[in-house]
Amino acid sequence: MVYLTRLEHFNAAHKLYNPAWSKERNEAVFGACANENWHGHNFELFVTVKGVPDKNTGFIMDAKQLSRIIKERVIEKLDHKNLNLDVEFLEGKMCSTENLIVEIWKQLQPHIPANVTLHSLKLYETPRIYVEYFGE
């Protein structure tokens, strides 16, 4: 089995705020991330697929095709957006990085070619904080 990883980048704003809670409780739980005027991140998204190299190309998947899928299905929907307000697939969800990565998986998985498997996603929110997801 061979693993191929593509790195993509996007910038987005969000806030962590539970509308069922008071402002004080939100600030106690989420700190500066509950800022009513939002805050932003320079996200790094690592998408890893796995498969067996094709006998004719030596590829498990054309990296340009993988990049195109990621850009069309994820980056164009997230880059320079407010995750809480502008992203349809996050509507009604807490915009944590944990929820974001699960929803990104759902956007990508149906579009990955049948001969490879979406193996994992890694999403860096900051250089020191990231989440990983391997599907359900």
Side-chain angles (χ1 to χ4, degrees):
M1 193 63 54
V2 177
Y3 297 79
L4 169 68
T5 300
R6 176 74 189 186
L7 167 62
E8 297 290 348
H9 175 86
F10 64 94
N11 300 312
H14 72 147
K15 71 176 171 181
L16 298 175
Y17 195 90
N18 185 331
W21 295 351
S22 68
K23 180 178 180 181
E24 294 76 23
R25 183 168 182 199
N26 274 287
E27 289 174 354
V29 173
F30 300 120
C33 295
N35 182 337
E36 63 188 50
N37 292 314
W38 318 96
H39 68 281
H41 297 285
N42 298 308
F43 290 94
E44 300 288 344
L45 176 63
F46 294 77
V47 177
T48 301
V49 295
K50 65 181 179 180
V52 176
D54 180 83
K55 292 176 185 169
N56 296 309
T57 65
F59 299 160
I60 64 167
M61 180 179 182
D62 183 336
K64 290 183 298 250
Q65 180 188 15
L66 180 57
S67 179
R68 188 170 43 257
I69 292 168
I70 298 165
K71 287 178 182 173
E72 289 175 2
R73 302 296 170 181
V74 175
I75 304 303
E76 290 176 4
K77 296 176 182 182
L78 299 177
D79 192 35
H80 288 84
K81 301 288 197 256
N82 181 313
L83 301 178
N84 298 77
L85 302 176
D86 301 330
V87 181
E88 187 176 308
F89 66 79
L90 292 172
E91 190 172 313
K93 296 176 178 66
M94 180 66 74
C95 288
S96 66
T97 307
E98 294 88 339
N99 284 338
L100 178 56
I101 200 169
V102 171
E103 296 306 316
I104 290 172
W105 181 282
K106 291 176 185 176
Q107 298 302 304
L108 291 174
Q109 200 280 326
H111 304 283
I112 300 298
N115 61 315
V116 296
T117 302
L118 183 56
H119 173 70
S120 67
L121 300 178
K122 183 184 288 187
L123 181 62
Y124 276 81
E125 182 180 80
T126 73
R128 293 178 303 280
I129 298 173
Y130 68 90
V131 294
E132 290 182 276
Y133 186 63
F134 296 89
E136 296 188 13

